[in-house]
Structure formats: structure tokens, C-alpha cells
Amino acid sequence: MIKLTKRQDEILNIVKQNGPITGQEIAEKLSLTRAALRPDLAILTMSGKLDARPRVGYFFNDNYEVKRQADKFLHQKVTDYKAHPIVVEKSTPVYDAIVQLFLEDVGTLYAVDSEGHLAGVISRKDLLRASLGNKNLQELPVSVIMTRMPNIITINSEETLLEAAKKMIQNHIDSLPVVKEVDQQKNTYLLLGRITKTTITRAYLEIMEK
């Protein structure tokens, strides 16, 4: 992102308010010569902030502003937006997992093993499917119904919100566990947090409102 000078900021504001406007008209408003403004106008045009057309003049590039706002969103890191994961042990009965799901008002639970490593993901659909026609929910552990490694889609803290959104859309899921690999052991992760579709929507609104 190019840092603008005070004069370049003034030029942008003039064009926003009066565009399309000629270079000579901009110069007159700033009490400068057209030649003195030429380098500034060239920088603003080449950077995409302004656009120019022969015999029309300069005008503010609205697409640039949209792209600038979008870039802010797309490059936000997962680590800045991850939420606390709702965790159960993989031996937890399905009944208790259902209670936990509703108490925490979430759509996904994460199961961990005795060492605290991510062992599985339990969705609302998994719990609903297990509860239909099953009268022994107190005896059925979540390990029987959960999605296990290597079928769990994960994301790490340094990936972007855009990458998180792509993974969720491509895999038809509502959330991702944010993980850290354990000593380069394949499919062995520490659970650091979670990212959901709601998280991404909230992040987008927060950035655009700013």
C-alpha cells in the first residue's frame, strides 16, 4: 500500500468531491501549476486510486476502494479471529455431548484424546443421526460417531480468513479446528481454537464498518 503525501490526499479529496475534473482545475483549487501536480497525478493514477480519460478529466476509482477494503478482509489471519473451541473427551457419551452442544450454543464439538490431541469432530448432524432410534445414548461414546483423522479438515493460525472460507465452502462444513502440528507427527495436532462461518461474517462486518 503506497503511503500518500499530504498533497496527494488533498488531490484525492478534490477528485472525490468534484470529479470528473481536469488537471488544470485541480491545480487551480490548490493554487499550483499543472506541471507541479503532474508527478502526484501520475502516482495516483498508476496506483489505481484515480482514473483518467481524455477530454473528461480525473475521477475517483470506486473499484480501487472496494478492492482496498476487500484486501483488508482477505489478508486477515485466522489467529486474530479464532474462538475458544468447545472440547469433549472422545469417551464422552453422546447424550452428554448433546447437552454440551446446546449449553454452549455451538454447531460443532471437538473430541480430544488422553494427551489432549485432536481426535475427532462431532457435528449437530452426527449427534442427530446417532440419537434417531438409539435408546442407549448414555452408553454410546462420541468416538463411534465422530469424524476422525485423516478426514478432518483443519487450518493453522497463520492461514487467512479467505483460506478458511474456501475450505469450509469446498468441504461443505460450518467450522474448522485451528490446530498446531505436534513435533511433525503426521495427523497429530494440538487444538488451538475454532473458526466458523459466523466468525468470518463477523470479521467482514467489523472490517467494513471501520
Side-chain angles (χ1 to χ4, degrees), residues 63-77:
N63 289 334
Y64 171 83
E65 187 65 16
V66 171
K67 183 177 183 299
R68 187 177 71 84
Q69 294 292 345
D71 283 345
K72 284 184 180 180
F73 171 69
L74 298 178
H75 293 95
Q76 295 297 309
K77 296 292 182 67

Side-chain angles (χ1 to χ4, degrees), residues 65-102:
E65 187 65 16
V66 171
K67 183 177 183 299
R68 187 177 71 84
Q69 294 292 345
D71 283 345
K72 284 184 180 180
F73 171 69
L74 298 178
H75 293 95
Q76 295 297 309
K77 296 292 182 67
V78 164
T79 189
D80 296 323
Y81 289 91
K82 68 180 185 294
H84 183 71
I86 308 304
V87 176
V88 297
E89 294 183 359
K90 66 179 185 179
S91 59
T92 300
V94 168
Y95 179 87
D96 292 348
I98 292 173
V99 172
Q100 183 81 347
L101 189 84
F102 281 97

Side-chain angles (χ1 to χ4, degrees), residues 133-149:
N134 194 328
K135 298 181 180 180
N136 299 313
L137 298 183
Q138 289 280 17
E139 299 176 9
L140 180 67
V142 294
S143 58
V144 174
I145 67 167
M146 68 187 187
T147 300
R148 299 169 171 271
M149 284 296 183

